[in-house]
mmCIF file of all heavy atoms in Angstrom:
data_model
loop_
_atom_site.group_PDB
_atom_site.id
_atom_site.type_symbol
_atom_site.label_atom_id
_atom_site.label_comp_id
_atom_site.label_asym_id
_atom_site.label_seq_id
_atom_site.Cartn_x
_atom_site.Cartn_y
_atom_site.Cartn_z
ATOM 1 N N ARG E 94 -6.654 11.448 2.377
ATOM 2 C CA ARG E 94 -6.058 12.724 2.773
ATOM 3 C C ARG E 94 -4.686 12.502 3.429
ATOM 4 O O ARG E 94 -3.712 13.178 3.129
ATOM 5 C CB ARG E 94 -6.985 13.404 3.795
ATOM 6 C CG ARG E 94 -6.454 14.750 4.282
ATOM 7 C CD ARG E 94 -7.449 15.439 5.251
ATOM 8 N NE ARG E 94 -6.909 16.682 5.691
ATOM 9 C CZ ARG E 94 -6.038 16.809 6.723
ATOM 10 N NH1 ARG E 94 -5.607 15.720 7.371
ATOM 11 N NH2 ARG E 94 -5.627 17.989 7.103
ATOM 12 N N SER E 95 -4.570 11.518 4.355
ATOM 13 C CA SER E 95 -3.297 11.303 5.016
ATOM 14 C C SER E 95 -2.219 10.845 4.037
ATOM 15 O O SER E 95 -1.064 11.186 4.144
ATOM 16 C CB SER E 95 -3.426 10.307 6.155
ATOM 17 O OG SER E 95 -3.821 9.041 5.700
ATOM 18 N N PHE E 96 -2.645 10.066 3.018
ATOM 19 C CA PHE E 96 -1.628 9.622 2.035
ATOM 20 C C PHE E 96 -1.150 10.806 1.198
ATOM 21 O O PHE E 96 0.038 10.954 0.921
ATOM 22 C CB PHE E 96 -2.247 8.549 1.098
ATOM 23 C CG PHE E 96 -1.300 8.218 -0.036
ATOM 24 C CD1 PHE E 96 -0.087 7.613 0.241
ATOM 25 C CD2 PHE E 96 -1.624 8.492 -1.308
ATOM 26 C CE1 PHE E 96 0.789 7.307 -0.789
ATOM 27 C CE2 PHE E 96 -0.762 8.168 -2.382
ATOM 28 C CZ PHE E 96 0.443 7.573 -2.111
ATOM 29 N N LEU E 97 -2.058 11.718 0.812
ATOM 30 C CA LEU E 97 -1.624 12.864 0.048
ATOM 31 C C LEU E 97 -0.661 13.759 0.849
ATOM 32 O O LEU E 97 0.335 14.244 0.331
ATOM 33 C CB LEU E 97 -2.849 13.674 -0.390
ATOM 34 C CG LEU E 97 -3.793 12.998 -1.412
ATOM 35 C CD1 LEU E 97 -4.941 13.901 -1.721
ATOM 36 C CD2 LEU E 97 -3.052 12.633 -2.650
ATOM 37 N N VAL E 98 -0.970 13.881 2.138
ATOM 38 C CA VAL E 98 -0.082 14.704 3.012
ATOM 39 C C VAL E 98 1.300 14.040 3.061
ATOM 40 O O VAL E 98 2.314 14.686 2.920
ATOM 41 C CB VAL E 98 -0.686 14.826 4.413
ATOM 42 C CG1 VAL E 98 0.346 15.407 5.361
ATOM 43 C CG2 VAL E 98 -1.934 15.714 4.341
ATOM 44 N N ARG E 99 1.345 12.699 3.250
ATOM 45 C CA ARG E 99 2.624 12.002 3.349
ATOM 46 C C ARG E 99 3.376 12.123 2.021
ATOM 47 O O ARG E 99 4.561 12.282 1.987
ATOM 48 C CB ARG E 99 2.376 10.534 3.707
ATOM 49 C CG ARG E 99 1.984 10.341 5.154
ATOM 50 C CD ARG E 99 1.691 8.870 5.396
ATOM 51 N NE ARG E 99 1.185 8.673 6.737
ATOM 52 C CZ ARG E 99 1.674 7.764 7.579
ATOM 53 N NH1 ARG E 99 2.635 6.989 7.213
ATOM 54 N NH2 ARG E 99 1.175 7.644 8.777
ATOM 55 N N SER E 100 2.615 11.922 0.940
ATOM 56 C CA SER E 100 3.268 11.977 -0.417
ATOM 57 C C SER E 100 3.842 13.332 -0.703
ATOM 58 O O SER E 100 4.976 13.488 -1.172
ATOM 59 C CB SER E 100 2.230 11.618 -1.477
ATOM 60 O OG SER E 100 1.769 10.299 -1.298
ATOM 61 N N ALA E 101 3.109 14.400 -0.354
ATOM 62 C CA ALA E 101 3.588 15.720 -0.592
ATOM 63 C C ALA E 101 4.812 16.034 0.257
ATOM 64 O O ALA E 101 5.816 16.602 -0.202
ATOM 65 C CB ALA E 101 2.494 16.747 -0.281
ATOM 66 N N ALA E 102 4.761 15.551 1.512
ATOM 67 C CA ALA E 102 5.906 15.799 2.398
ATOM 68 C C ALA E 102 7.171 15.056 1.903
ATOM 69 O O ALA E 102 8.275 15.484 2.096
ATOM 70 C CB ALA E 102 5.585 15.293 3.820
ATOM 71 N N ALA E 103 6.960 13.943 1.216
ATOM 72 C CA ALA E 103 8.103 13.155 0.704
ATOM 73 C C ALA E 103 8.513 13.627 -0.687
ATOM 74 O O ALA E 103 9.430 13.059 -1.283
ATOM 75 C CB ALA E 103 7.676 11.694 0.617
ATOM 76 N N GLY E 104 7.826 14.660 -1.212
ATOM 77 C CA GLY E 104 8.181 15.146 -2.506
ATOM 78 C C GLY E 104 7.605 14.351 -3.649
ATOM 79 O O GLY E 104 8.059 14.471 -4.771
ATOM 80 N N ALA E 105 6.579 13.520 -3.336
ATOM 81 C CA ALA E 105 6.049 12.619 -4.328
ATOM 82 C C ALA E 105 4.949 13.307 -5.123
ATOM 83 O O ALA E 105 4.367 12.706 -6.009
ATOM 84 C CB ALA E 105 5.537 11.343 -3.693
ATOM 85 N N GLY E 106 4.581 14.514 -4.763
ATOM 86 C CA GLY E 106 3.501 15.195 -5.496
ATOM 87 C C GLY E 106 2.179 14.472 -5.278
ATOM 88 O O GLY E 106 1.936 13.891 -4.222
ATOM 89 N N LEU E 107 1.303 14.502 -6.260
ATOM 90 C CA LEU E 107 0.001 13.893 -6.124
ATOM 91 C C LEU E 107 -0.180 12.725 -7.080
ATOM 92 O O LEU E 107 -1.254 12.453 -7.555
ATOM 93 C CB LEU E 107 -1.079 14.939 -6.381
ATOM 94 C CG LEU E 107 -1.040 16.207 -5.533
ATOM 95 C CD1 LEU E 107 -2.197 17.115 -5.840
ATOM 96 C CD2 LEU E 107 -1.043 15.847 -4.049
ATOM 97 N N LEU E 108 0.895 12.062 -7.344
ATOM 98 C CA LEU E 108 0.858 10.944 -8.316
ATOM 99 C C LEU E 108 0.357 9.681 -7.607
ATOM 100 O O LEU E 108 1.007 9.149 -6.717
ATOM 101 C CB LEU E 108 2.246 10.642 -8.876
ATOM 102 C CG LEU E 108 2.882 11.803 -9.684
ATOM 103 C CD1 LEU E 108 4.269 11.393 -10.148
ATOM 104 C CD2 LEU E 108 1.981 12.118 -10.905
ATOM 105 N N LEU E 109 -0.818 9.229 -7.973
ATOM 106 C CA LEU E 109 -1.443 8.025 -7.393
ATOM 107 C C LEU E 109 -1.583 6.953 -8.463
ATOM 108 O O LEU E 109 -1.969 7.263 -9.580
ATOM 109 C CB LEU E 109 -2.842 8.359 -6.855
ATOM 110 C CG LEU E 109 -2.911 9.515 -5.844
ATOM 111 C CD1 LEU E 109 -4.389 9.653 -5.401
ATOM 112 C CD2 LEU E 109 -2.027 9.235 -4.651
ATOM 113 N N SER E 110 -1.262 5.747 -8.109
ATOM 114 C CA SER E 110 -1.468 4.669 -9.061
ATOM 115 C C SER E 110 -2.942 4.467 -9.260
ATOM 116 O O SER E 110 -3.755 4.592 -8.311
ATOM 117 C CB SER E 110 -0.798 3.397 -8.568
ATOM 118 O OG SER E 110 -1.262 2.984 -7.303
ATOM 119 N N PRO E 111 -3.407 4.182 -10.448
ATOM 120 C CA PRO E 111 -4.823 4.132 -10.758
ATOM 121 C C PRO E 111 -5.719 3.308 -9.849
ATOM 122 O O PRO E 111 -6.822 3.769 -9.566
ATOM 123 C CB PRO E 111 -4.850 3.581 -12.229
ATOM 124 C CG PRO E 111 -3.492 3.948 -12.755
ATOM 125 C CD PRO E 111 -2.581 3.900 -11.583
ATOM 126 N N PRO E 112 -5.306 2.106 -9.412
ATOM 127 C CA PRO E 112 -6.246 1.321 -8.644
ATOM 128 C C PRO E 112 -6.419 1.754 -7.209
ATOM 129 O O PRO E 112 -7.337 1.245 -6.541
ATOM 130 C CB PRO E 112 -5.650 -0.086 -8.677
ATOM 131 C CG PRO E 112 -4.191 0.132 -8.858
ATOM 132 C CD PRO E 112 -4.054 1.380 -9.678
ATOM 133 N N LEU E 113 -5.636 2.673 -6.676
ATOM 134 C CA LEU E 113 -5.625 2.957 -5.285
ATOM 135 C C LEU E 113 -6.983 3.419 -4.759
ATOM 136 O O LEU E 113 -7.448 2.981 -3.699
ATOM 137 C CB LEU E 113 -4.614 4.035 -4.930
ATOM 138 C CG LEU E 113 -3.146 3.556 -5.046
ATOM 139 C CD1 LEU E 113 -2.208 4.650 -4.622
ATOM 140 C CD2 LEU E 113 -2.905 2.311 -4.171
ATOM 141 N N TYR E 114 -7.652 4.299 -5.518
ATOM 142 C CA TYR E 114 -8.897 4.810 -5.033
ATOM 143 C C TYR E 114 -10.013 4.535 -6.006
ATOM 144 O O TYR E 114 -10.973 5.302 -6.155
ATOM 145 C CB TYR E 114 -8.777 6.284 -4.740
ATOM 146 C CG TYR E 114 -7.764 6.543 -3.634
ATOM 147 C CD1 TYR E 114 -6.506 7.056 -3.901
ATOM 148 C CD2 TYR E 114 -8.045 6.134 -2.321
ATOM 149 C CE1 TYR E 114 -5.583 7.227 -2.916
ATOM 150 C CE2 TYR E 114 -7.130 6.294 -1.335
ATOM 151 C CZ TYR E 114 -5.902 6.864 -1.595
ATOM 152 O OH TYR E 114 -4.945 6.988 -0.619
ATOM 153 N N ALA E 115 -9.944 3.406 -6.709
ATOM 154 C CA ALA E 115 -11.005 2.928 -7.572
ATOM 155 C C ALA E 115 -12.091 2.356 -6.652
ATOM 156 O O ALA E 115 -11.985 2.405 -5.408
ATOM 157 C CB ALA E 115 -10.463 1.908 -8.493
ATOM 158 N N ALA E 116 -13.096 1.811 -7.259
ATOM 159 C CA ALA E 116 -14.196 1.245 -6.441
ATOM 160 C C ALA E 116 -13.623 0.246 -5.443
ATOM 161 O O ALA E 116 -12.799 -0.579 -5.742
ATOM 162 C CB ALA E 116 -15.158 0.561 -7.383
ATOM 163 N N GLU E 117 -14.074 0.353 -4.203
ATOM 164 C CA GLU E 117 -13.577 -0.487 -3.162
ATOM 165 C C GLU E 117 -13.983 -1.943 -3.362
ATOM 166 O O GLU E 117 -15.110 -2.242 -3.765
ATOM 167 C CB GLU E 117 -14.116 0.008 -1.816
ATOM 168 C CG GLU E 117 -13.588 1.354 -1.395
ATOM 169 C CD GLU E 117 -14.034 1.722 0.012
ATOM 170 O OE1 GLU E 117 -14.729 0.915 0.652
ATOM 171 O OE2 GLU E 117 -13.744 2.866 0.420
ATOM 172 N N LYS E 118 -13.016 -2.837 -3.070
ATOM 173 C CA LYS E 118 -13.328 -4.245 -3.151
ATOM 174 C C LYS E 118 -14.116 -4.682 -1.935
ATOM 175 O O LYS E 118 -14.040 -4.015 -0.848
ATOM 176 C CB LYS E 118 -12.056 -5.045 -3.229
ATOM 177 C CG LYS E 118 -11.231 -4.827 -4.479
ATOM 178 C CD LYS E 118 -9.992 -5.737 -4.447
ATOM 179 C CE LYS E 118 -9.143 -5.563 -5.728
ATOM 180 N NZ LYS E 118 -7.941 -6.445 -5.661
ATOM 181 N N LYS E 119 -14.809 -5.784 -2.050
ATOM 182 C CA LYS E 119 -15.527 -6.322 -0.937
ATOM 183 C C LYS E 119 -14.502 -6.934 0.017
ATOM 184 O O LYS E 119 -13.582 -7.580 -0.370
ATOM 185 C CB LYS E 119 -16.492 -7.410 -1.425
ATOM 186 C CG LYS E 119 -17.294 -8.024 -0.284
ATOM 187 C CD LYS E 119 -18.276 -9.090 -0.823
ATOM 188 C CE LYS E 119 -19.027 -9.741 0.317
ATOM 189 N NZ LYS E 119 -19.960 -10.797 -0.215
ATOM 190 N N THR E 120 -14.724 -6.667 1.313
ATOM 191 C CA THR E 120 -13.875 -7.256 2.366
ATOM 192 C C THR E 120 -14.478 -8.510 2.875
ATOM 193 O O THR E 120 -15.663 -8.523 3.274
ATOM 194 C CB THR E 120 -13.635 -6.234 3.510
ATOM 195 O OG1 THR E 120 -12.994 -5.114 2.982
ATOM 196 C CG2 THR E 120 -12.827 -6.853 4.586
ATOM 197 N N ASP E 121 -13.711 -9.578 2.961
ATOM 198 C CA ASP E 121 -14.105 -10.831 3.549
ATOM 199 C C ASP E 121 -13.614 -10.819 5.007
ATOM 200 O O ASP E 121 -12.453 -10.962 5.257
ATOM 201 C CB ASP E 121 -13.510 -12.009 2.775
ATOM 202 C CG ASP E 121 -13.951 -13.379 3.354
ATOM 203 O OD1 ASP E 121 -14.522 -13.395 4.450
ATOM 204 O OD2 ASP E 121 -13.723 -14.387 2.680
ATOM 205 N N GLY E 122 -14.555 -10.694 5.942
ATOM 206 C CA GLY E 122 -14.190 -10.587 7.344
ATOM 207 C C GLY E 122 -13.587 -11.831 7.973
ATOM 208 O O GLY E 122 -12.999 -11.796 9.034
ATOM 209 N N ASN E 123 -13.627 -12.935 7.219
ATOM 210 C CA ASN E 123 -13.060 -14.176 7.686
ATOM 211 C C ASN E 123 -11.725 -14.485 7.003
ATOM 212 O O ASN E 123 -11.166 -15.582 7.261
ATOM 213 C CB ASN E 123 -14.032 -15.330 7.509
ATOM 214 C CG ASN E 123 -15.284 -15.142 8.294
ATOM 215 O OD1 ASN E 123 -15.246 -14.852 9.515
ATOM 216 N ND2 ASN E 123 -16.455 -15.318 7.705
ATOM 217 N N PHE E 124 -11.271 -13.617 6.134
ATOM 218 C CA PHE E 124 -10.015 -13.815 5.413
ATOM 219 C C PHE E 124 -8.938 -12.933 6.034
ATOM 220 O O PHE E 124 -9.108 -11.741 6.177
ATOM 221 C CB PHE E 124 -10.278 -13.459 3.970
ATOM 222 C CG PHE E 124 -9.037 -13.204 3.068
ATOM 223 C CD1 PHE E 124 -7.803 -13.744 3.367
ATOM 224 C CD2 PHE E 124 -9.216 -12.442 1.907
ATOM 225 C CE1 PHE E 124 -6.719 -13.492 2.542
ATOM 226 C CE2 PHE E 124 -8.118 -12.178 1.066
ATOM 227 C CZ PHE E 124 -6.887 -12.708 1.414
ATOM 228 N N TRP E 125 -7.824 -13.559 6.433
ATOM 229 C CA TRP E 125 -6.683 -12.898 7.019
ATOM 230 C C TRP E 125 -5.407 -13.292 6.283
ATOM 231 O O TRP E 125 -5.319 -14.420 5.817
ATOM 232 C CB TRP E 125 -6.563 -13.192 8.496
ATOM 233 C CG TRP E 125 -7.694 -12.643 9.274
ATOM 234 C CD1 TRP E 125 -8.938 -13.197 9.425
ATOM 235 C CD2 TRP E 125 -7.743 -11.383 10.023
ATOM 236 N NE1 TRP E 125 -9.763 -12.379 10.190
ATOM 237 C CE2 TRP E 125 -9.023 -11.253 10.556
ATOM 238 C CE3 TRP E 125 -6.821 -10.376 10.248
ATOM 239 C CZ2 TRP E 125 -9.392 -10.188 11.315
ATOM 240 C CZ3 TRP E 125 -7.163 -9.310 11.006
ATOM 241 C CH2 TRP E 125 -8.443 -9.225 11.530
ATOM 242 N N ALA E 126 -4.493 -12.367 6.182
ATOM 243 C CA ALA E 126 -3.201 -12.661 5.474
ATOM 244 C C ALA E 126 -2.089 -12.758 6.514
ATOM 245 O O ALA E 126 -1.973 -11.924 7.405
ATOM 246 C CB ALA E 126 -2.891 -11.559 4.470
ATOM 247 N N PHE E 127 -1.269 -13.802 6.391
ATOM 248 C CA PHE E 127 -0.107 -13.990 7.215
ATOM 249 C C PHE E 127 1.160 -13.773 6.417
ATOM 250 O O PHE E 127 1.443 -14.474 5.459
ATOM 251 C CB PHE E 127 -0.021 -15.421 7.735
ATOM 252 C CG PHE E 127 -1.121 -15.862 8.691
ATOM 253 C CD1 PHE E 127 -1.643 -17.154 8.657
ATOM 254 C CD2 PHE E 127 -1.613 -14.982 9.671
ATOM 255 C CE1 PHE E 127 -2.615 -17.545 9.485
ATOM 256 C CE2 PHE E 127 -2.606 -15.380 10.546
ATOM 257 C CZ PHE E 127 -3.114 -16.680 10.467
ATOM 258 N N PHE E 128 1.965 -12.741 6.827
ATOM 259 C CA PHE E 128 3.307 -12.541 6.334
ATOM 260 C C PHE E 128 4.229 -12.844 7.514
ATOM 261 O O PHE E 128 3.863 -12.776 8.678
ATOM 262 C CB PHE E 128 3.559 -11.108 5.932
ATOM 263 C CG PHE E 128 2.802 -10.601 4.718
ATOM 264 C CD1 PHE E 128 1.882 -11.384 4.043
ATOM 265 C CD2 PHE E 128 3.032 -9.323 4.227
ATOM 266 C CE1 PHE E 128 1.187 -10.915 2.967
ATOM 267 C CE2 PHE E 128 2.369 -8.852 3.103
ATOM 268 C CZ PHE E 128 1.446 -9.638 2.493
ATOM 269 N N SER E 129 5.474 -13.219 7.222
ATOM 270 C CA SER E 129 6.467 -13.409 8.311
ATOM 271 C C SER E 129 7.860 -13.268 7.770
ATOM 272 O O SER E 129 8.124 -13.498 6.573
ATOM 273 C CB SER E 129 6.282 -14.833 8.928
ATOM 274 O OG SER E 129 7.104 -14.966 10.049
ATOM 275 N N ASP E 130 8.790 -12.904 8.650
ATOM 276 C CA ASP E 130 10.182 -12.839 8.309
ATOM 277 C C ASP E 130 10.447 -12.098 6.996
ATOM 278 O O ASP E 130 10.978 -12.592 6.044
ATOM 279 C CB ASP E 130 10.739 -14.281 8.204
ATOM 280 C CG ASP E 130 10.662 -15.018 9.559
ATOM 281 O OD1 ASP E 130 11.565 -14.803 10.353
ATOM 282 O OD2 ASP E 130 9.670 -15.700 9.727
ATOM 283 N N THR E 131 10.040 -10.812 7.036
ATOM 284 C CA THR E 131 10.201 -9.974 5.860
ATOM 285 C C THR E 131 11.661 -9.511 5.687
ATOM 286 O O THR E 131 12.108 -9.274 4.547
ATOM 287 C CB THR E 131 9.287 -8.754 5.916
ATOM 288 O OG1 THR E 131 9.526 -8.080 7.167
ATOM 289 C CG2 THR E 131 7.847 -9.164 5.838
ATOM 290 N N HIS E 132 12.358 -9.256 6.799
ATOM 291 C CA HIS E 132 13.793 -8.927 6.793
ATOM 292 C C HIS E 132 14.092 -7.755 5.855
ATOM 293 O O HIS E 132 15.008 -7.872 4.961
ATOM 294 C CB HIS E 132 14.653 -10.160 6.435
ATOM 295 C CG HIS E 132 14.688 -11.211 7.516
ATOM 296 N ND1 HIS E 132 15.420 -11.029 8.669
ATOM 297 C CD2 HIS E 132 14.060 -12.376 7.596
ATOM 298 C CE1 HIS E 132 15.254 -12.082 9.414
ATOM 299 N NE2 HIS E 132 14.418 -12.950 8.781
ATOM 300 N N ILE E 133 13.413 -6.657 6.019
ATOM 301 C CA ILE E 133 13.639 -5.527 5.146
ATOM 302 C C ILE E 133 14.794 -4.660 5.612
ATOM 303 O O ILE E 133 14.888 -4.270 6.793
ATOM 304 C CB ILE E 133 12.340 -4.652 5.115
ATOM 305 C CG1 ILE E 133 11.206 -5.443 4.498
ATOM 306 C CG2 ILE E 133 12.599 -3.406 4.282
ATOM 307 C CD1 ILE E 133 11.448 -6.009 3.062
ATOM 308 N N ALA E 134 15.691 -4.351 4.693
ATOM 309 C CA ALA E 134 16.850 -3.513 4.990
ATOM 310 C C ALA E 134 16.554 -2.057 4.564
ATOM 311 O O ALA E 134 15.665 -1.823 3.794
ATOM 312 C CB ALA E 134 18.064 -4.053 4.254
#
């Protein structure tokens, strides 16, 4: 719901990429991802 609201507000309509709300993947509670120094402009 919050994504649809944000998308509509941004003028993106209701276009969702197919995998976004497909069957949920299993979450591994012991798996964590480290990103660093993204430096986004």
Side-chain angles (χ1 to χ4, degrees):
R94 179 178 180 277
S95 63
F96 173 65
L97 293 179
V98 169
R99 288 175 184 232
S100 298
L107 304 183
L108 297 177
L109 305 181
S110 57
L113 289 183
Y114 298 106
E117 293 185 3
K118 293 182 180 180
K119 181 180 178 181
T120 298
D121 182 347
N123 296 313
F124 163 25
W125 293 81
F127 293 142
F128 293 3
S129 187
D130 297 277
T131 54
H132 289 286
I133 297 301

